PDB file of all heavy atoms in Angstrom:
ATOM      1  N   ALA A 494     127.961 127.346 246.020  1.00 97.00           N
ATOM      2  CA  ALA A 494     127.307 128.675 245.995  1.00 97.00           C
ATOM      3  C   ALA A 494     128.190 129.547 245.167  1.00 97.00           C
ATOM      4  O   ALA A 494     129.246 129.141 244.694  1.00 97.00           O
ATOM      5  CB  ALA A 494     127.172 129.231 247.406  1.00 97.00           C
ATOM      6  N   CYS A 495     127.717 130.832 244.958  1.00 96.00           N
ATOM      7  CA  CYS A 495     128.546 131.798 244.243  1.00 96.00           C
ATOM      8  C   CYS A 495     128.555 133.144 245.058  1.00 96.00           C
ATOM      9  O   CYS A 495     127.648 133.435 245.823  1.00 96.00           O
ATOM     10  CB  CYS A 495     127.894 132.139 242.880  1.00 96.00           C
ATOM     11  SG  CYS A 495     127.574 130.778 241.802  1.00 96.00           S
ATOM     12  N   GLY A 496     129.585 133.855 244.833  1.00 96.00           N
ATOM     13  CA  GLY A 496     129.649 135.270 245.333  1.00 96.00           C
ATOM     14  C   GLY A 496     129.534 135.325 246.841  1.00 96.00           C
ATOM     15  O   GLY A 496     130.169 134.564 247.631  1.00 96.00           O
ATOM     16  N   THR A 497     128.648 136.269 247.318  1.00 98.00           N
ATOM     17  CA  THR A 497     128.455 136.448 248.681  1.00 98.00           C
ATOM     18  C   THR A 497     127.960 135.146 249.339  1.00 98.00           C
ATOM     19  O   THR A 497     128.318 134.860 250.506  1.00 98.00           O
ATOM     20  CB  THR A 497     127.431 137.593 248.860  1.00 98.00           C
ATOM     21  OG1 THR A 497     128.085 138.782 248.512  1.00 98.00           O
ATOM     22  CG2 THR A 497     126.900 137.691 250.274  1.00 98.00           C
ATOM     23  N   SER A 498     127.050 134.423 248.671  1.00 98.00           N
ATOM     24  CA  SER A 498     126.559 133.191 249.259  1.00 98.00           C
ATOM     25  C   SER A 498     127.722 132.219 249.512  1.00 98.00           C
ATOM     26  O   SER A 498     127.654 131.443 250.451  1.00 98.00           O
ATOM     27  CB  SER A 498     125.500 132.562 248.341  1.00 98.00           C
ATOM     28  OG  SER A 498     124.473 133.422 248.160  1.00 98.00           O
ATOM     29  N   TRP A 499     128.740 132.238 248.618  1.00 98.00           N
ATOM     30  CA  TRP A 499     129.877 131.445 248.758  1.00 98.00           C
ATOM     31  C   TRP A 499     130.660 131.746 250.079  1.00 98.00           C
ATOM     32  O   TRP A 499     131.139 130.996 250.798  1.00 98.00           O
ATOM     33  CB  TRP A 499     130.740 131.453 247.478  1.00 98.00           C
ATOM     34  CG  TRP A 499     131.949 130.574 247.528  1.00 98.00           C
ATOM     35  CD1 TRP A 499     132.000 129.300 247.174  1.00 98.00           C
ATOM     36  CD2 TRP A 499     133.300 130.954 247.823  1.00 98.00           C
ATOM     37  NE1 TRP A 499     133.290 128.772 247.218  1.00 98.00           N
ATOM     38  CE2 TRP A 499     134.103 129.812 247.669  1.00 98.00           C
ATOM     39  CE3 TRP A 499     133.961 132.135 248.212  1.00 98.00           C
ATOM     40  CZ2 TRP A 499     135.440 129.761 247.879  1.00 98.00           C
ATOM     41  CZ3 TRP A 499     135.327 132.133 248.469  1.00 98.00           C
ATOM     42  CH2 TRP A 499     136.090 130.986 248.278  1.00 98.00           C
ATOM     43  N   ILE A 541     123.610 127.226 248.557  1.00 98.00           N
ATOM     44  CA  ILE A 541     123.182 128.491 249.164  1.00 98.00           C
ATOM     45  C   ILE A 541     122.966 129.546 248.056  1.00 98.00           C
ATOM     46  O   ILE A 541     123.787 129.691 247.226  1.00 98.00           O
ATOM     47  CB  ILE A 541     124.270 129.046 250.153  1.00 98.00           C
ATOM     48  CG1 ILE A 541     124.776 127.956 251.084  1.00 98.00           C
ATOM     49  CG2 ILE A 541     123.764 130.300 250.867  1.00 98.00           C
ATOM     50  CD1 ILE A 541     125.970 128.390 251.919  1.00 98.00           C
ATOM     51  N   SER A 542     121.785 130.162 248.103  1.00 97.00           N
ATOM     52  CA  SER A 542     121.497 131.162 247.071  1.00 97.00           C
ATOM     53  C   SER A 542     120.454 132.098 247.573  1.00 97.00           C
ATOM     54  O   SER A 542     119.407 131.656 247.969  1.00 97.00           O
ATOM     55  CB  SER A 542     121.019 130.472 245.805  1.00 97.00           C
ATOM     56  OG  SER A 542     120.659 131.409 244.889  1.00 97.00           O
ATOM     57  N   GLN A 543     120.725 133.346 247.554  1.00 95.00           N
ATOM     58  CA  GLN A 543     119.726 134.374 247.897  1.00 95.00           C
ATOM     59  C   GLN A 543     118.524 134.305 246.910  1.00 95.00           C
ATOM     60  O   GLN A 543     117.386 134.090 247.304  1.00 95.00           O
ATOM     61  CB  GLN A 543     120.308 135.760 247.865  1.00 95.00           C
ATOM     62  CG  GLN A 543     119.440 136.887 248.355  1.00 95.00           C
ATOM     63  CD  GLN A 543     118.370 137.384 247.368  1.00 95.00           C
ATOM     64  OE1 GLN A 543     117.170 137.408 247.753  1.00 95.00           O
ATOM     65  NE2 GLN A 543     118.722 137.551 246.125  1.00 95.00           N
ATOM     66  N   SER A 544     118.806 134.437 245.629  1.00 91.00           N
ATOM     67  CA  SER A 544     117.768 134.482 244.638  1.00 91.00           C
ATOM     68  C   SER A 544     117.118 133.152 244.355  1.00 91.00           C
ATOM     69  O   SER A 544     115.993 133.045 243.957  1.00 91.00           O
ATOM     70  CB  SER A 544     118.394 135.011 243.278  1.00 91.00           C
ATOM     71  OG  SER A 544     119.313 134.042 242.851  1.00 91.00           O
ATOM     72  N   GLY A 545     117.880 132.117 244.623  1.00 92.00           N
ATOM     73  CA  GLY A 545     117.391 130.764 244.237  1.00 92.00           C
ATOM     74  C   GLY A 545     117.304 130.540 242.772  1.00 92.00           C
ATOM     75  O   GLY A 545     116.771 129.553 242.289  1.00 92.00           O
ATOM     76  N   GLU A 546     117.976 131.419 241.942  1.00 90.00           N
ATOM     77  CA  GLU A 546     117.926 131.280 240.503  1.00 90.00           C
ATOM     78  C   GLU A 546     119.296 131.226 239.870  1.00 90.00           C
ATOM     79  O   GLU A 546     119.402 131.113 238.655  1.00 90.00           O
ATOM     80  CB  GLU A 546     117.200 132.441 239.883  1.00 90.00           C
ATOM     81  CG  GLU A 546     115.744 132.645 240.402  1.00 90.00           C
ATOM     82  CD  GLU A 546     114.803 131.506 239.993  1.00 90.00           C
ATOM     83  OE1 GLU A 546     115.153 130.736 239.082  1.00 90.00           O
ATOM     84  OE2 GLU A 546     113.752 131.411 240.660  1.00 90.00           O
ATOM     85  N   THR A 547     120.331 131.288 240.608  1.00 92.00           N
ATOM     86  CA  THR A 547     121.715 131.314 240.047  1.00 92.00           C
ATOM     87  C   THR A 547     121.957 130.081 239.229  1.00 92.00           C
ATOM     88  O   THR A 547     121.919 128.952 239.748  1.00 92.00           O
ATOM     89  CB  THR A 547     122.761 131.511 241.147  1.00 92.00           C
ATOM     90  OG1 THR A 547     122.443 132.673 241.881  1.00 92.00           O
ATOM     91  CG2 THR A 547     124.145 131.525 240.650  1.00 92.00           C
ATOM     92  N   THR A 550     124.645 127.573 240.311  1.00 95.00           N
ATOM     93  CA  THR A 550     124.293 126.798 241.518  1.00 95.00           C
ATOM     94  C   THR A 550     123.297 125.670 241.216  1.00 95.00           C
ATOM     95  O   THR A 550     123.356 124.616 241.688  1.00 95.00           O
ATOM     96  CB  THR A 550     123.794 127.762 242.644  1.00 95.00           C
ATOM     97  OG1 THR A 550     124.765 128.808 242.723  1.00 95.00           O
ATOM     98  CG2 THR A 550     123.632 127.125 243.998  1.00 95.00           C
ATOM     99  N   ILE A 575     115.893 127.020 242.774  1.00 91.00           N
ATOM    100  CA  ILE A 575     116.729 126.210 243.685  1.00 91.00           C
ATOM    101  C   ILE A 575     115.952 125.614 244.873  1.00 91.00           C
ATOM    102  O   ILE A 575     116.069 124.432 245.238  1.00 91.00           O
ATOM    103  CB  ILE A 575     117.947 126.975 244.148  1.00 91.00           C
ATOM    104  CG1 ILE A 575     118.854 127.266 242.932  1.00 91.00           C
ATOM    105  CG2 ILE A 575     118.737 126.263 245.304  1.00 91.00           C
ATOM    106  CD1 ILE A 575     120.071 128.131 243.228  1.00 91.00           C
ATOM    107  N   GLU A 590     115.444 141.206 248.743  1.00 89.00           N
ATOM    108  CA  GLU A 590     116.705 141.943 248.677  1.00 89.00           C
ATOM    109  C   GLU A 590     116.739 142.569 247.302  1.00 89.00           C
ATOM    110  O   GLU A 590     116.892 141.859 246.302  1.00 89.00           O
ATOM    111  CB  GLU A 590     117.929 141.044 248.949  1.00 89.00           C
ATOM    112  CG  GLU A 590     119.201 141.856 249.189  1.00 89.00           C
ATOM    113  CD  GLU A 590     120.409 140.999 249.519  1.00 89.00           C
ATOM    114  OE1 GLU A 590     120.767 140.208 248.558  1.00 89.00           O
ATOM    115  OE2 GLU A 590     120.960 141.093 250.581  1.00 89.00           O
ATOM    116  N   GLY A 592     118.686 145.653 246.375  1.00 91.00           N
ATOM    117  CA  GLY A 592     119.981 146.160 246.081  1.00 91.00           C
ATOM    118  C   GLY A 592     120.846 145.068 245.475  1.00 91.00           C
ATOM    119  O   GLY A 592     120.756 143.985 245.979  1.00 91.00           O
ATOM    120  N   VAL A 593     121.520 145.403 244.441  1.00 91.00           N
ATOM    121  CA  VAL A 593     122.287 144.244 243.739  1.00 91.00           C
ATOM    122  C   VAL A 593     123.324 143.722 244.623  1.00 91.00           C
ATOM    123  O   VAL A 593     123.602 142.522 244.689  1.00 91.00           O
ATOM    124  CB  VAL A 593     122.872 144.844 242.379  1.00 91.00           C
ATOM    125  CG1 VAL A 593     123.919 143.876 241.879  1.00 91.00           C
ATOM    126  CG2 VAL A 593     121.718 144.959 241.418  1.00 91.00           C
ATOM    127  N   ALA A 594     123.986 144.590 245.463  1.00 95.00           N
ATOM    128  CA  ALA A 594     124.980 144.068 246.388  1.00 95.00           C
ATOM    129  C   ALA A 594     124.237 143.411 247.593  1.00 95.00           C
ATOM    130  O   ALA A 594     123.451 144.023 248.285  1.00 95.00           O
ATOM    131  CB  ALA A 594     125.875 145.216 246.930  1.00 95.00           C
ATOM    132  N   SER A 595     124.609 142.190 247.852  1.00 96.00           N
ATOM    133  CA  SER A 595     123.984 141.431 248.884  1.00 96.00           C
ATOM    134  C   SER A 595     124.456 141.832 250.211  1.00 96.00           C
ATOM    135  O   SER A 595     125.631 141.930 250.476  1.00 96.00           O
ATOM    136  CB  SER A 595     124.323 139.947 248.565  1.00 96.00           C
ATOM    137  OG  SER A 595     123.353 139.140 249.250  1.00 96.00           O
ATOM    138  N   THR A 596     123.550 142.067 251.128  1.00 98.00           N
ATOM    139  CA  THR A 596     123.876 142.453 252.471  1.00 98.00           C
ATOM    140  C   THR A 596     123.133 141.677 253.551  1.00 98.00           C
ATOM    141  O   THR A 596     123.659 140.703 254.147  1.00 98.00           O
ATOM    142  CB  THR A 596     123.635 144.024 252.679  1.00 98.00           C
ATOM    143  OG1 THR A 596     122.323 144.287 252.355  1.00 98.00           O
ATOM    144  CG2 THR A 596     124.606 144.837 251.973  1.00 98.00           C
ATOM    145  N   GLN A 602     121.843 134.187 255.821  1.00 98.00           N
ATOM    146  CA  GLN A 602     122.449 132.865 255.463  1.00 98.00           C
ATOM    147  C   GLN A 602     123.329 132.408 256.603  1.00 98.00           C
ATOM    148  O   GLN A 602     123.194 131.205 257.035  1.00 98.00           O
ATOM    149  CB  GLN A 602     123.247 132.971 254.203  1.00 98.00           C
ATOM    150  CG  GLN A 602     122.383 133.154 252.945  1.00 98.00           C
ATOM    151  CD  GLN A 602     123.191 133.681 251.729  1.00 98.00           C
ATOM    152  OE1 GLN A 602     124.325 134.131 251.888  1.00 98.00           O
ATOM    153  NE2 GLN A 602     122.595 133.543 250.567  1.00 98.00           N
ATOM    154  N   GLU A 676     134.281 139.153 251.904  1.00 98.00           N
ATOM    155  CA  GLU A 676     132.955 139.769 251.666  1.00 98.00           C
ATOM    156  C   GLU A 676     133.094 141.289 251.613  1.00 98.00           C
ATOM    157  O   GLU A 676     132.502 141.953 250.840  1.00 98.00           O
ATOM    158  CB  GLU A 676     131.978 139.261 252.758  1.00 98.00           C
ATOM    159  CG  GLU A 676     130.590 139.842 252.693  1.00 98.00           C
ATOM    160  CD  GLU A 676     129.862 139.742 251.368  1.00 98.00           C
ATOM    161  OE1 GLU A 676     130.285 138.930 250.494  1.00 98.00           O
ATOM    162  OE2 GLU A 676     128.779 140.353 251.168  1.00 98.00           O
ATOM    163  N   LEU A 679     134.598 142.261 248.348  1.00 98.00           N
ATOM    164  CA  LEU A 679     133.613 142.162 247.257  1.00 98.00           C
ATOM    165  C   LEU A 679     132.606 143.323 247.271  1.00 98.00           C
ATOM    166  O   LEU A 679     132.348 143.920 246.212  1.00 98.00           O
ATOM    167  CB  LEU A 679     132.900 140.785 247.357  1.00 98.00           C
ATOM    168  CG  LEU A 679     131.765 140.562 246.378  1.00 98.00           C
ATOM    169  CD1 LEU A 679     132.312 140.501 244.933  1.00 98.00           C
ATOM    170  CD2 LEU A 679     131.041 139.267 246.683  1.00 98.00           C
ATOM    171  N   LYS A 680     132.167 143.661 248.465  1.00 98.00           N
ATOM    172  CA  LYS A 680     131.154 144.702 248.534  1.00 98.00           C
ATOM    173  C   LYS A 680     131.766 146.007 247.993  1.00 98.00           C
ATOM    174  O   LYS A 680     131.186 146.748 247.222  1.00 98.00           O
ATOM    175  CB  LYS A 680     130.770 144.989 250.037  1.00 98.00           C
ATOM    176  CG  LYS A 680     129.788 144.116 250.696  1.00 98.00           C
ATOM    177  CD  LYS A 680     128.369 144.000 250.154  1.00 98.00           C
ATOM    178  CE  LYS A 680     128.340 143.055 248.976  1.00 98.00           C
ATOM    179  NZ  LYS A 680     128.021 141.663 249.191  1.00 98.00           N
ATOM    180  N   GLU A 683     132.396 145.899 244.035  1.00 96.00           N
ATOM    181  CA  GLU A 683     131.196 145.782 243.164  1.00 96.00           C
ATOM    182  C   GLU A 683     130.415 147.112 243.087  1.00 96.00           C
ATOM    183  O   GLU A 683     129.748 147.348 242.108  1.00 96.00           O
ATOM    184  CB  GLU A 683     130.340 144.567 243.493  1.00 96.00           C
ATOM    185  CG  GLU A 683     129.591 144.670 244.828  1.00 96.00           C
ATOM    186  CD  GLU A 683     128.790 143.394 245.037  1.00 96.00           C
ATOM    187  OE1 GLU A 683     128.310 142.774 244.103  1.00 96.00           O
ATOM    188  OE2 GLU A 683     128.623 143.031 246.265  1.00 96.00           O
ATOM    189  N   ALA A 797     124.006 142.249 237.766  1.00 74.00           N
ATOM    190  CA  ALA A 797     122.541 142.036 237.836  1.00 74.00           C
ATOM    191  C   ALA A 797     122.346 141.175 239.137  1.00 74.00           C
ATOM    192  O   ALA A 797     123.201 140.483 239.599  1.00 74.00           O
ATOM    193  CB  ALA A 797     122.017 141.304 236.693  1.00 74.00           C
ATOM    194  N   LYS A 798     121.182 141.337 239.676  1.00 71.00           N
ATOM    195  CA  LYS A 798     120.882 140.674 240.945  1.00 71.00           C
ATOM    196  C   LYS A 798     120.916 139.181 240.890  1.00 71.00           C
ATOM    197  O   LYS A 798     121.380 138.441 241.688  1.00 71.00           O
ATOM    198  CB  LYS A 798     119.538 141.198 241.486  1.00 71.00           C
ATOM    199  CG  LYS A 798     119.243 140.677 242.906  1.00 71.00           C
ATOM    200  CD  LYS A 798     120.038 141.404 243.919  1.00 71.00           C
ATOM    201  CE  LYS A 798     119.800 140.839 245.319  1.00 71.00           C
ATOM    202  NZ  LYS A 798     120.961 141.131 246.168  1.00 71.00           N
ATOM    203  N   SER A 799     120.278 138.745 239.776  1.00 70.00           N
ATOM    204  CA  SER A 799     120.076 137.309 239.718  1.00 70.00           C
ATOM    205  C   SER A 799     120.784 136.834 238.431  1.00 70.00           C
ATOM    206  O   SER A 799     120.395 137.213 237.293  1.00 70.00           O
ATOM    207  CB  SER A 799     118.537 137.152 239.642  1.00 70.00           C
ATOM    208  OG  SER A 799     118.146 135.983 239.224  1.00 70.00           O
ATOM    209  N   VAL A 800     121.763 135.981 238.629  1.00 73.00           N
ATOM    210  CA  VAL A 800     122.663 135.561 237.555  1.00 73.00           C
ATOM    211  C   VAL A 800     122.191 134.263 236.939  1.00 73.00           C
ATOM    212  O   VAL A 800     122.696 133.141 237.289  1.00 73.00           O
ATOM    213  CB  VAL A 800     124.123 135.537 238.024  1.00 73.00           C
ATOM    214  CG1 VAL A 800     125.073 135.311 236.808  1.00 73.00           C
ATOM    215  CG2 VAL A 800     124.494 136.822 238.683  1.00 73.00           C
TER     216      VAL A 800
HETATM  217  C1  LIG B 982     127.435 140.129 245.711  1.00 63.43           C
HETATM  218  C2  LIG B 982     126.319 139.400 245.174  1.00 63.43           C
HETATM  219  C3  LIG B 982     126.661 138.191 244.274  1.00 63.43           C
HETATM  220  C4  LIG B 982     125.700 137.039 244.661  1.00 63.43           C
HETATM  221  C5  LIG B 982     125.950 135.890 243.717  1.00 63.43           C
HETATM  222  C6  LIG B 982     125.109 134.668 244.095  1.00 63.43           C
HETATM  223  O1  LIG B 982     126.982 141.225 246.459  1.00 63.43           O
HETATM  224  O2  LIG B 982     125.204 139.683 245.331  1.00 63.43           O
HETATM  225  O3  LIG B 982     127.981 137.806 244.484  1.00 63.43           O
HETATM  226  O4  LIG B 982     125.932 136.642 246.026  1.00 63.43           O
HETATM  227  O5  LIG B 982     125.692 136.207 242.426  1.00 63.43           O
HETATM  228  O6  LIG B 982     123.722 135.043 244.006  1.00 63.43           O
HETATM  229  P1  LIG B 982     122.694 134.101 244.752  1.00 63.43           P
HETATM  230  O7  LIG B 982     122.909 134.146 246.222  1.00 63.43           O
HETATM  231  O8  LIG B 982     121.339 134.702 244.345  1.00 63.43           O
HETATM  232  O9  LIG B 982     122.798 132.706 244.260  1.00 63.43           O
END
Side-chain angles (χ1 to χ4, degrees):
C495 303
T497 289
S498 298
W499 184 81
I541 310 172
S542 174
Q543 186 285 130
S544 63
E546 301 295 342
T547 302
T550 310
I575 292 177
E590 194 180 62
V593 164
S595 200
T596 52
Q602 288 164 345
E676 177 58 8
L679 176 62
K680 284 295 85 90
E683 68 183 329
K798 184 75 184 156
S799 162
V800 187

